[in-house]
């Protein structure tokens, strides 16, 4: 037990050292910023203090308090590979920020992460705690992939390469500004980048990039060299907002003002403790509820939880903290929900009348 904790501390220290290098060795040239003009920047001392304190306190505690049998249930939906009529909308949670959206007769993936680890190393780093509910081929032909930013828990090289080689041809990848070269240099040519508020048409779909408050880095010299974004997807009367990774900010009221209320919002609810360290990059459930209200979502589904242990709260914490946040805000239980891994939610056929 002690050896495991020491190993985990060692690996976290290694990651912290790499983060420190990222911030210390950023190459010259322009960097992308949040909408308030700020960049997220954590001093090395703060990263180390967090990791040491988490280790000393044995954080995060193992999940299980809110799970029957101590395990996350994994759903195998036999219909997940089936095409839906063009006027229907369904979302399947695949774990973490990966979802399958079926709308407009198209199949769209958000931040596909199907690998064992969310890490630059195949042999070390944060391993998934819950298996993938589906093999890639079970999800059917993917038409479009939306990437929020380049962190390893959102942009997984093996997953996007596998998608680019799917039978029937590569999906269209849509990425934030500056990230297209990463795809092109790996031979993935069906990629288009969009700056915040820009939009593009893909068959029956309209895709629009919207702001988020976060940061980016994968290597030693690319800190904030590519942008981060949320995405609003429209097909006819139906609309979906995928927030990616974000802190709370005024961006969400601006999104409502510029794109109107959305039908379905996929909002992060995990990896939020300790707040002193995480509040500049990840919302907690109370802030996710505020985003739900700001963007005028009819239904929100919590993502970015329950799969990769990235922070100090237990992996199953949102099962208790999201309902509490929802109740504090006076939201009905069915307005903002969590799905089980692999579970599909089919939205009622009539899109909501947006106000
Ligand atoms: Zn991130
Ligand atoms: Zn993330």
């Amino acid at each position: 037990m002690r050896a495991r904790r020491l190993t985990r501390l060692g690996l976290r220290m290694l990651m912290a050292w790499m983060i420190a290098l990222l911030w210390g060795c950023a190459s010259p040239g322009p960097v992308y910023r949040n909408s308030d003009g700020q960049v997220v920047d954590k001093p090395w001392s703060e990263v180390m203090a967090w990791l040491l304190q988490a280790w000393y306190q044995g954080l995060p505690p193992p999940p299980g308090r809110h799970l029957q049998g101590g395990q996350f249930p994994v759903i195998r939906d036999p219909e997940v590979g089936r095409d839906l009529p063009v006027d229907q909308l369904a979302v399947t949670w695949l774990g973490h920020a990966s979802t399958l959206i079926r709308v407009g007769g198209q199949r769209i993936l958000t931040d596909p992460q199907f690998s064992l680890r969310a890490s630059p190393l195949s042999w070390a780093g944060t391993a998934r705690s819950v298996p993938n509910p589906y093999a890639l081929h079970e999800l059917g032909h993917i038409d479009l992939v939306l990437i929020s930013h380049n962190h390893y828990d959102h942009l997984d090289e093996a997953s996007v390469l596998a998608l680019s080689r799917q039978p029937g041809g590569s999906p269209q990848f849509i990425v934030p500004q500056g990230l297209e070269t990463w795809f092109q240099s790996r031979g993935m040519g069906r990629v288009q980048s969009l700056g915040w508020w820009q939009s593009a048409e893909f068959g029956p779909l309209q895709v629009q990039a919207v702001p988020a408050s976060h940061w980016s880095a994968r290597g030693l010299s690319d800190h904030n060299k590519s942008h981060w974004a949320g995405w609003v997807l429209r097909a006819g009367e139906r609309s979906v907002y995928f927030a990616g990774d974000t802190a709370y900010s005024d961006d969400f009221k601006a999104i409502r003002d510029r794109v109107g209320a959305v039908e379905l919002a996929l909002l992060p609810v995990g990896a939020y403790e300790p707040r002193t360290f995480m509040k500049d990059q990840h919302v907690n459930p109370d802030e996710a509820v505020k985003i739900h209200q700001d963007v005028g979502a009819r239904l929100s589904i919590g993502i970015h939880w329950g799969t990769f242990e990235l922070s100090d709260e237990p992996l199953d914490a949102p099962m208790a903290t999201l309902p509490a946040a929802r109740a504090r805000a006076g939201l009905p239980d069915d307005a903002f929900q969590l799905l089980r891994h692999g579970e599909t939610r089919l939205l009622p056929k009539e899109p909501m009348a947006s106000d």
Side-chain angles (χ1 to χ4, degrees):
M1 190 66 187
R2 191 171 166 78
R4 240 189 80 213
R5 281 185 64 200
L6 275 169
T7 306
R8 195 163 72 176
L9 178 68
L11 288 173
R12 280 188 147 195
M13 291 286 199
L14 176 68
M15 296 300 282
W17 171 72
M18 290 179 70
I19 290 168
L21 280 179
L22 301 180
W23 279 322
C25 306
S27 62
V31 295
Y32 289 93
R33 294 174 178 274
N34 287 326
S35 55
D36 61 2
Q38 301 298 308
V39 290
V40 178
D41 202 354
K42 299 285 179 201
W44 167 240
S45 55
E46 209 180 304
V47 178
M48 293 306 289
W50 164 46
L51 292 177
L52 276 168
Q53 190 175 32
W55 177 74
Y56 185 71
Q57 295 177 346
L59 298 175
R65 261 184 74 199
H66 311 293
L67 296 168
Q68 273 186 349
Q71 299 278 328
F72 284 98
V74 177
I75 304 296
R76 297 262 311 151
D77 173 6
E79 302 281 291
V80 77
R82 194 167 67 86
D83 285 331
L84 294 177
V86 288
D87 58 347
Q88 290 207 337
L89 166 59
V91 60
T92 306
W93 185 48
L94 305 174
H96 204 56
S98 304
T99 69
L100 169 68
I101 301 164
R102 282 176 284 170
V103 69
Q106 305 283 298
R107 311 172 72 80
I108 302 107
L109 287 180
T110 62
D111 287 355
Q113 213 318 351
F114 304 131
S115 290
L116 174 63
R117 294 183 191 280
S119 165
L121 308 171
S122 62
W123 48 272
T126 310
R128 65 171 51 247
S129 298
V130 182
N132 280 314
Y134 307 102
L136 185 54
H137 68 85
E138 292 178 293
L139 301 178
H141 181 85
I142 302 301
D143 300 292
L144 184 68
V145 177
L146 302 175
I147 302 288
S148 65
H149 66 300
N150 71 359
H151 286 156
Y152 287 89
D153 55 321
H154 297 260
L155 174 56
D156 178 63
E157 184 166 357
S159 300
V160 293
L161 278 173
L163 277 159
S164 74
R165 294 166 187 152
Q166 71 178 345
S170 172
Q172 174 73 48
F173 293 98
I174 305 188
V175 303
Q177 248 175 358
L179 193 50
E180 64 278 10
T181 50
W182 184 93
F183 283 77
Q184 288 156 350
S185 66
R186 286 160 178 80
M188 289 177 274
R190 278 201 77 193
V191 60
Q192 177 169 356
S193 68
L194 294 176
W196 288 353
W197 305 117
Q198 289 181 332
S199 53
E201 311 273 335
F202 294 92
L205 304 176
Q206 188 206 47
V207 180
Q208 184 169 19
V210 293
S213 288
H214 202 59
W215 58 287
S216 72
R218 279 180 87 79
L220 297 178
S221 60
D222 64 346
H223 187 217
N224 291 345
K225 295 291 182 184
S226 65
H227 218 172
W228 44 95
W231 298 101
V232 174
L233 187 63
R234 290 188 180 282
E237 298 286 295
R238 316 223 64 157
S239 60
V240 183
Y241 165 51
F242 166 60
D245 243 356
T246 188
Y248 186 73
S249 73
D250 292 335
D251 290 338
F252 310 103
K253 293 189 180 93
I255 291 170
R256 166 70 176 264
D257 288 346
R258 291 181 72 149
V259 311
V262 295
E263 184 179 2
L264 169 66
L266 306 171
L267 304 179
V269 296
Y272 57 81
E273 292 288 352
R275 293 313 289 153
T276 46
F277 193 82
M278 292 295 181
K279 68 176 171 29
D280 298 335
Q281 44 190 322
H282 292 157
V283 290
N284 65 9
D286 284 294
E287 292 168 325
V289 163
K290 281 204 278 182
I291 299 176
H292 164 88
Q293 294 170 319
D294 288 352
V295 299
R298 172 186 173 194
L299 167 68
S300 290
I301 301 285
I303 59 169
H304 204 261
W305 75 284
T307 314
F308 293 106
E309 212 170 55
L310 303 169
S311 54
D312 284 357
E313 84 278 8
L315 268 185
D316 58 341
M319 296 175 77
T321 53
L322 178 62
R326 204 172 52 205
R328 277 192 287 276
L331 281 187
D333 290 357
D334 57 3
F336 196 153
Q337 301 176 356
L338 298 175
L339 299 179
R340 294 167 291 179
H341 294 77
E343 187 177 0
T344 298
R345 179 62 41 89
L346 182 66
L347 275 78
K349 209 165 180 181
E350 285 303 307
M352 77 170 188
S354 61
D355 53 343

